[in-house]
């Protein structure tokens, strides 16, 4: 006959993990995020342009990655250390620029930058950020901060932002070139998303379901753009009034003259464009289609990467973004030619799921998964990734 004592010894005393600790993948963080923030906020992050084909294809491309492991290798110690634009980093990951970050969670950009600083990886503040260039430096001492610029109609204001980033000690300038005009983000239009979120009858009803999110919005400093004031509150209206559809490669050359540090051009999907911006003085490029948020049906970045890396890998540093949701995806990107990968949604899901702890969980998961993938591949470092360890399976007929 079993006694309660016998049973208790089998049950164990550990409490199951809760909150973001119970999320075991970026997908789990996404599921938790969906339950924790109002629908328009989740959709703003999760959604993309048009029919969202670029987004769908980007994530699908990572599912066509095939690993060819080497067996009988000593993988007792493993490291994913690398150098990103001249600075050592323990992991080939950059937290990319995302606008309105305090809308996802009131801890916003400072939380993301603190996690990046602790992990020793770079964080990129967006022009559309909700924390100022200077405040972020104070909030995350020691972080490797990059600043992302959109070239505005008013060049003097662009120049002013570049000067402030220089003055505040930002190390890398990232100029995004795939937003001549706003992409058609249909989820935002359907949800009537405004920045800051407006209290309507519908959103008041939503308060009941997301009380902590709304309480934080109401009790933290007003949600607004840190770099400009008086802008229209609908997203497309804002982009179209401030951004300049006439920007050309000459503007890039002008910008090169304004910034002494590494200059990275983000939003490149073809070899031709990559060559053009490198000739204009870019030190690095991000092979990116803005996470599918601009031109739907644009090239799949993982597929575009190998040819660009083969042609220009010795002339500039190549980063990759779009659809990266796991550490295995990061390893695939590096194996196919990227120096490092950039992520947007992966850390934003973490932020929405649990603030700073959620961002940390996302970065920890990506790191642990990448190290595990290296080991299972029979590699002890990123340098072992050549030699056909990773390929893309041909598309099924
Ligand atoms: C909510 C959100 C806001 C973004 N805002 C910006 C931005 O202000 N500037 C920019 O260059 N890219 C922006 N991006 C694009 C990201 O930097 C990055 O290219 C994209 O998220 C990569 O795809 P992934 O989300 O699948 O990782 C944004 C992306 C998201 C999801």
């Amino acid at each position: 006959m079993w006694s309660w004592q016998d049973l208790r010894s089998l049950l164990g005393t550990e409490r199951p993990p809760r909150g973001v600790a119970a999320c075991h993948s970026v997908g789990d963080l996404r599921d938790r995020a969906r339950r924790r923030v109002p629908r328009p906020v989740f959709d703003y992050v999760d959604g993309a342009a048009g029919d969202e084909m670029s987004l769908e294809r980007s994530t699908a491309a990572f599912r066509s990655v095939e690993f060819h492991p080497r067996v009988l290798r000593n993988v007792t110690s493993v490291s994913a250390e690398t150098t990103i634009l001249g600075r050592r980093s323990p992991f080939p990951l950059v937290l990319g620029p995302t606008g309105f970050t305090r809308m996802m969670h009131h801890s916003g950009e400072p939380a993301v930058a603190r996690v990046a600083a602790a992990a020793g990886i770079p964080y990129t503040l967006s022009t559309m950020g909700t924390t100022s260039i200077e405040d972020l430096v104070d909030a995350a001492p020691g972080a490797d901060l990059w600043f992302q610029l959109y070239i505005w109609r008013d060049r003097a204001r662009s120049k002013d932002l570049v000067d402030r980033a220089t003055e505040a000690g930002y190390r890398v300038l990232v100029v995004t070139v795939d937003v001549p005009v706003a992409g058609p983000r249909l989820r935002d239009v359907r949800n009537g998303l405004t920045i800051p979120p407006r209290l309507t009858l519908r959103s008041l009803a939503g308060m009941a379901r997301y009380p902590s999110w709304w309480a934080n919005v109401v009790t933290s400093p007003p949600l607004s753009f840190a770099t400009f004031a008086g802008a229209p509150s609908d997203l497309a209206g804002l982009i179209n009034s401030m951004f300049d559809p006439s920007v050309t490669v000459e503007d890039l050359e002008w910008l090169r003259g304004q910034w002494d540090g590494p200059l990275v051009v983000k939003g490149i999907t073809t070899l031709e464009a990559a060559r053009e911006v490198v000739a204009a003085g870019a030190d690095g490029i991000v092979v990116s289609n803005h996470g599918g948020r601009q031109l739907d049906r644009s090239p799949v970045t993982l597929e575009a990467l190998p040819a660009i890396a083969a042609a220009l890998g010795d002339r500039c540093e190549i980063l990759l973004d779009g659809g990266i949701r796991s550490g295995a995806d990061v390893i695939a990107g590096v194996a196919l030619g990227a120096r490092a990968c950039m992520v947007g949604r992966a850390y934003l899901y973490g932020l929405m799921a649990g603030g700073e702890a959620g961002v940390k969980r996302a970065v920890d998961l990506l790191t642990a998964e990448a190290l595990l993938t290296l080991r299972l591949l029979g590699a002890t470092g990123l340098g072992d990734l050549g030699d056909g360890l990773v390929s893309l399976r041909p598309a099924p007929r």
Side-chain angles (χ1 to χ4, degrees):
M1 189 66 179
W2 287 91
S3 73
W4 167 240
Q5 287 302 332
D6 295 330
L7 201 59
R8 210 171 61 170
S9 69
L10 285 177
L11 282 175
T13 51
E14 283 153 34
R15 295 173 70 193
R18 299 176 59 188
V20 291
C23 296
H24 300 292
S25 67
V26 167
D28 289 351
L29 287 169
R30 176 175 181 260
D31 290 343
R32 184 173 163 82
R34 194 200 290 275
R35 296 192 300 270
R36 293 191 54 99
V37 302
R39 171 80 182 266
V41 175
F42 179 81
D43 275 351
Y44 171 63
V45 172
D46 196 60
D51 289 334
E52 305 193 351
M53 281 186 257
S54 276
L55 172 62
E56 211 176 284
R57 289 174 188 169
S58 298
T59 43
F62 283 96
R63 286 197 287 279
S64 73
V65 166
E66 189 162 86
F67 289 135
H68 310 275
R70 286 201 214 103
V71 293
L72 298 173
R73 294 291 194 278
N74 180 352
V75 290
T76 314
S77 349
V78 64
S79 155
E81 195 176 283
T82 189
T83 303
I84 308 174
L85 291 158
R87 183 161 156 162
R88 298 301 293 168
S89 175
F91 188 47
L93 188 73
V94 178
L95 302 186
T98 57
F100 321 118
T101 312
R102 282 204 297 119
M103 182 170 74
M104 291 42 142
H105 189 272
H106 64 285
S107 60
E109 291 90 353
V112 184
R114 279 193 292 268
V115 172
I121 58 175
Y123 170 59
T124 318
L125 175 68
S126 162
T127 299
M128 315 287 275
T130 41
T131 302
S132 79
I133 291 174
E134 296 78 12
D135 288 351
L136 189 67
V137 174
D138 294 339
D144 180 10
L145 292 179
W146 298 10
F147 182 68
Q148 178 265 322
L149 182 78
Y150 285 117
I151 300 180
W152 292 6
R153 285 178 195 273
D154 181 350
R155 297 290 191 275
R157 290 184 81 177
S158 302
K159 165 89 172 77
D160 178 51
L161 288 179
V162 172
D163 290 346
R164 282 172 58 190
T166 308
E167 188 67 24
Y170 283 64
R171 190 171 74 86
V172 174
L173 184 67
V174 178
V175 56
T176 299
V177 295
D178 55 10
V179 189
V181 293
R185 316 256 173 92
L186 299 187
R187 292 201 216 182
D188 298 346
V189 177
R190 290 184 184 121
N191 289 329
L193 179 74
T194 59
I195 314 280
R198 236 182 256 135
L199 279 179
T200 59
L201 273 181
R202 229 167 99 192
S203 53
L204 276 170
M207 267 190 178
R209 290 184 60 202
Y210 309 98
S212 62
W213 184 88
W214 276 107
N216 286 325
V217 166
V218 174
T219 54
S220 52
L223 194 55
S224 61
F225 299 107
T227 47
F228 48 90
S233 61
D234 75 289
L235 203 57
L238 171 95
I239 292 180
N240 290 334
S241 71
M242 312 291 286
F243 292 39
D244 188 350
S246 76
V247 169
T248 67
V249 78
E250 275 90 61
D251 296 285
L252 201 59
E253 285 160 354
W254 165 77
L255 196 62
R256 176 68 284 184
Q258 311 299 317
W259 176 260
D260 290 336
L263 178 69
V264 172
V265 178
K266 174 172 180 285
I268 300 297
T269 55
T270 65
L271 180 56
E272 187 195 5
R275 285 194 204 285
E276 197 177 16
V277 300
V278 170
D283 303 294
I285 57 172
V286 189
V287 179
S288 169
N289 61 24
H290 216 103
R293 299 165 72 83
Q294 282 299 111
L295 175 65
D296 200 13
R297 305 173 200 245
S298 53
V300 173
T301 52
L302 185 70
E303 292 169 2
L305 172 70
I308 297 176
L312 293 171
D314 55 349
R315 292 188 51 204
C316 73
E317 217 151 275
I318 296 169
L319 307 183
L320 169 79
D321 81 13
I324 292 160
R325 304 284 183 268
S326 74
D329 294 348
V330 173
I331 294 301
V334 172
L336 293 174
R339 173 61 64 106
C341 293
M342 197 177 243
V343 287
R345 294 182 185 85
Y347 78 78
L348 290 177
Y349 292 139
L351 187 67
M352 293 188 289
E356 188 164 337
V359 178
K360 180 173 180 332
R361 185 74 181 153
V363 170
D364 286 349
L365 283 167
L366 293 176
T367 311
E369 291 162 353
L371 293 175
L372 179 63
T373 303
L374 281 176
R375 278 203 161 99
L376 291 171
L377 268 171
T380 56
L382 302 180
D384 291 345
L385 286 176
D387 302 336
L389 253 66
V390 181
S391 65
L392 288 178
R393 290 168 65 82
R397 293 232 190 125

